[in-house]
């Protein structure tokens, strides 16, 4: 994780230096290479925080590459561009007071900021899509028998199928991994049950059971509610997750 963060910081600094050399939107006329480098590298590092947070939030709530994901990412990029534009505008006026005389409207500054943000997001999305495609090709070349060793370390609370991906729910958040749900379940060492066609839940993650056989859901320790298919209720009863009285947990706590 630390290596990956350092890699993104390095790429961000390099991108800032490149923008300082190119001087987009007339910034090359501001002069002062040190100030240009400081401004653009600082702006890009701020963008890494804002746009990176936006990207993680969207990816945690929508399947990567889906229409919902794409629309949410555009909206999140525009929202992240608001503080980015306000901060960079204030810093630019401080570094180059003469810019204030140009009376550049804030909407124009925002449009310029959002343009760079959209380009950066598109670049990141393209790079991750290629990485996902490469991973899919690697998985396709593996034998169909035997479990796939997956990076599912840590305290996994539940697995949720989303198209060709599996969302791994943990106490600290969630992540998407390119893998069939069945293969992901095979890699799990913790005890658990398949509660739904698209869900697997770890035994220790269940804090309470709500509903009845017609509409049942499990509340997990991270606050996520996992659905229970009618056909899975019998398995949950046999495992002691649900009492024979369907409206209450077997131990009165879950």
């Amino acid at each position: 994780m630390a290596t990956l963060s350092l890699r993104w910081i390095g790429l961000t600094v390099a991108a800032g230096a490149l923008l300082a050399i190119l001087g987009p939107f007339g910034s090359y006329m501001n002069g002062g290479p040190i100030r240009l480098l400081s401004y653009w590298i600082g702006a890009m590092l701020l963008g890494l925080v804002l746009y990176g947070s936006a990207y993680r939030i969207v990816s945690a709530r929508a399947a990567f590459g889906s229409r919902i994901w794409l629309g949410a990412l555009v909206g999140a990029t525009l929202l992240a561009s608001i503080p980015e534009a306000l901060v960079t505008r204030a810093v630019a006026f401080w570094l180059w007071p003469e810019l204030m005389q140009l009376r550049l409207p804030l909407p124009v500054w925002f449009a310029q900021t959002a343009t760079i943000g959209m380009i950066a997001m598109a670049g990141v999305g393209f790079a991750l899509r290629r990485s996902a495609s490469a991973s899919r090709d690697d998985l396709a070349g593996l034998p169909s028998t035997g479990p796939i060793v997956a990076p599912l370390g840590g305290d996994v609370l539940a697995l949720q199928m989303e198209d060709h991906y599996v969302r791994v729910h943990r106490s600290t958040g969630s992540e998407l991994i390119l893998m069939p749900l069945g293969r992901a379940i095979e890699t799990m060492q913790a005890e658990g049950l398949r509660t739904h066609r698209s869900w697997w839940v770890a035994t220790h993650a269940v804090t309470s059971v709500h509903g009845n056989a017609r509409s049942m859901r499990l509340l997990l320790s991270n606050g996520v509610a996992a659905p229970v298919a009618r056909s899975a209720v019998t398995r949950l009863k046999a495992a002691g997750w649900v009492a024979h009285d369907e409206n209450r947990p077997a131990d009165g706590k879950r």
Side-chain angles (χ1 to χ4, degrees):
M1 183 65 69
T3 302
L4 184 61
S5 298
L6 289 175
R7 178 185 177 187
W8 280 111
I9 292 174
L11 290 173
T12 301
V13 170
L18 178 62
L19 288 174
I21 295 174
L22 296 177
F25 307 119
S27 61
Y28 66 91
M29 295 186 295
N30 295 338
I34 301 301
R35 283 185 291 177
L36 278 172
L37 283 170
S38 300
Y39 170 79
W40 278 112
I41 291 177
M44 293 300 290
L45 287 173
L46 175 62
L48 178 64
V49 175
L50 294 174
Y51 296 118
S53 299
Y55 191 95
R56 286 192 295 272
I57 291 172
V58 171
S59 296
R61 287 163 173 76
F64 176 77
S66 66
R67 292 183 179 179
I68 295 177
W69 175 86
L70 182 60
L73 190 62
V74 171
T77 301
L78 293 175
L79 286 176
S81 296
I82 296 175
E84 177 79 11
L86 293 174
V87 172
T88 55
R89 180 182 173 88
V91 172
F93 284 174
W94 176 70
L95 289 173
W96 300 286
E98 59 273 15
L99 288 180
M100 298 183 65
Q101 301 177 3
L102 298 178
R103 301 177 181 272
L104 187 64
L106 181 58
V108 174
W109 197 286
F110 170 79
Q112 295 175 350
T113 302
T115 297
I116 295 178
M118 289 291 184
I119 293 174
M121 284 291 209
V124 171
F126 177 75
L128 293 179
R129 182 178 290 275
R130 290 196 61 181
S131 176
S133 297
S135 299
R136 188 182 296 110
D137 292 340
D138 291 341
L139 290 175
L142 293 174
S144 58
T145 58
I148 297 176
V149 179
L152 298 182
D155 184 22
V156 177
L157 304 180
L159 303 174
Q160 177 187 4
M161 180 175 65
E162 293 187 9
D163 295 328
H164 301 294
Y165 296 82
V166 171
R167 183 173 296 282
V168 183
H169 292 276
R170 308 178 191 274
S171 57
T172 55
S174 67
E175 60 183 307
L176 283 174
I177 294 179
L178 181 63
M179 178 182 292
L181 178 60
R183 293 292 181 87
I185 293 174
E186 291 176 2
T187 68
M188 295 305 303
Q189 297 181 354
E191 293 184 0
L193 290 174
R194 185 94 175 245
T195 65
H196 189 273
R197 178 179 59 85
S198 58
W199 280 81
W200 175 92
V201 175
T203 303
H204 70 275
V206 181
T207 60
S208 60
V209 181
H210 299 273
N212 51 41
R214 292 181 296 276
S215 178
M216 184 177 292
R217 56 193 177 91
L218 307 174
L219 184 63
L220 309 185
S221 58
N222 63 345
V224 172
V228 177
R230 292 185 184 183
S231 59
V233 173
T234 301
R235 293 198 302 272
L236 267 61
K237 288 182 179 180
W241 289 24
V242 180
H244 289 285
D245 177 359
E246 298 170 351
N247 294 305
R248 62 179 178 83
D251 58 5
K253 297 181 181 179
R254 286 180 182 164

